[in-house]
Amino acid sequence: MIYERRPSPLHAARAWIGAAWCVTLGLVALSIEQPLVLLALLTAVLAAAAAARAGRRVALTLAWGVPFALVIALVNALVTRDGVTVIVRGFGLPALGQMDITLEAAVYSAILGLRFLIVIGCAGLLAAAVDPDELLRAVRRVSVRSGVTAAVATRLVPVLARDARRLADARRTVGAEGERRVAVLRAVTAGALDRATDVAATLEVRGFGIGGRPPRRRRPLSRHDLAFAASAFGLAALAIASGVGGWEGFDPYPRLVVPLEPRQLVLAAALAACVLLPFLDRRGTAA
């Protein structure tokens, strides 16, 4: 997924604040088990992606993650022996032996898959709406070498991918299928080594080894910076409060308890509001 500047509040915010907001949103999903709240978070992530003009890209990322979420849910349901409500009894697997599948394990496995999808959606939103160059410049203030290394790596990955596609097209009618794949892999690997050597020589000539930290550029916080920072703090506070106060009321083992009370509805609505409120102010978001 390649970043493209869009007229949205998330694009207008500082890169490190936008990245922190996306990471916080993913961590909140990992800290919650209540299915209703997780569904509200997933809906909020999709709505935020649409508000950031990156809905199609995030949807494609989620579609790519669905098979992995299904595998996570299936494996956890097979290996978990907790729960008292058996829904599939007495089948054997070569490696695991005789086993049952319980309702509690199946529901919690689905929750794990849902968490994975939310985290993947947050990662897709970060990649589509946060400027990687600005983010790397922020990293460079902390460590020059780490920032430059990350910048070079992120720039070379799409270049190597384009090289692989062009080589595959050129060799499409040459040789057997297995030989063609090996030849493409060999050519891409050789090209990567050549590019790495050229980049290293260029950095050496430009004095990278003796370079220091770049000067700090002071820029006042914008309304979008403040909005997404406040949203991240609000999301973290709600997640901590729900864990400490037991607002979710969800208990998968030993017997499934999925309460649907006003406090769960309020928590889901509050989290969704924290996610979406920063997108309401679209002033100063021109691309």
Side-chain angles (χ1 to χ4, degrees):
M1 184 177 292
I2 300 175
Y3 168 82
E4 184 178 351
R5 179 73 180 181
R6 301 280 187 176
S8 81
L10 185 55
H11 288 79
R14 294 173 191 254
W16 68 270
I17 292 179
W21 181 81
C22 293
V23 171
T24 302
L25 184 54
L27 292 177
V28 169
L30 293 178
S31 68
I32 290 176
E33 296 181 344
Q34 166 62 245
L36 173 66
V37 179
L38 288 175
L39 287 173
L41 272 180
L42 180 60
T43 304
V45 169
L46 291 173
R53 310 293 178 89
R56 182 174 179 274
R57 295 186 177 186
V58 174
L60 289 175
T61 303
L62 289 175
W64 175 86
V66 166
F68 295 93
L70 293 176
V71 169
I72 291 172
L74 178 61
V75 171
N76 187 77
L78 291 176
V79 301
T80 300
R81 303 299 178 93
D82 299 323
V84 297
T85 309
V86 178
I87 57 176
V88 179
R89 184 181 298 277
F91 69 97
L93 291 177
L96 301 176
Q98 199 76 9
M99 61 190 307
D100 300 331
I101 295 180
T102 64
L103 174 64
E104 291 79 9
V107 171
Y108 193 72
S109 300
I111 289 173
L112 292 179
L114 186 57
R115 278 175 166 178
F116 175 80
L117 286 179
I118 296 173
V119 172
I120 287 295
C122 294
L125 184 58
L126 190 154
V130 176
D131 187 352
D133 291 335
E134 185 181 347
L135 188 60
L136 291 171
R137 281 194 292 269
V139 174
R140 195 175 60 174
R141 284 288 309 162
V142 179
S143 174
V144 177
R145 286 176 169 77
S146 298
V148 174
T149 301
V152 171
T154 55
R155 288 295 182 230
L156 285 181
V157 168
V159 171
L160 295 177
R162 287 195 297 269
D163 287 349
R165 287 195 296 268
R166 291 166 181 168
L167 288 170
D169 291 339
R171 297 176 179 272
R172 183 167 297 165
T173 58
V174 179
E177 182 69 19
E179 296 177 358
R180 184 169 73 247
R181 291 179 179 176
V182 172
V184 170
L185 179 61
R186 186 186 303 116
V188 172
T189 304
L193 294 175
D194 291 340
R195 289 181 186 277
T197 302
D198 294 340
V199 170
T202 302
L203 292 175
E204 184 67 24
V205 169
R206 294 186 177 182
F208 169 69
I210 59 175
R213 288 186 178 183
R216 183 185 297 273
R217 296 187 301 172
R218 298 192 178 276
R219 182 164 53 110
L221 293 173
S222 67
R223 62 171 64 90
H224 303 296
D225 297 332
L226 296 174
F228 281 99
S231 174
F233 280 114
L235 289 169
L238 285 172
I240 294 172
S242 67
V244 174
W247 294 355
E248 298 180 52
F250 176 77
D251 189 10
Y253 302 115
R255 186 177 295 276
L256 183 65
V257 177
V258 188
L260 185 57
E261 301 173 354
R263 58 181 178 177
Q264 285 87 38
L265 298 176
V266 170
L267 177 60
L271 287 171
C274 273
V275 173
L276 298 177
L277 280 177
F279 291 94
L280 295 181
D281 187 1
R282 306 192 68 87
R283 291 175 297 171
T285 62

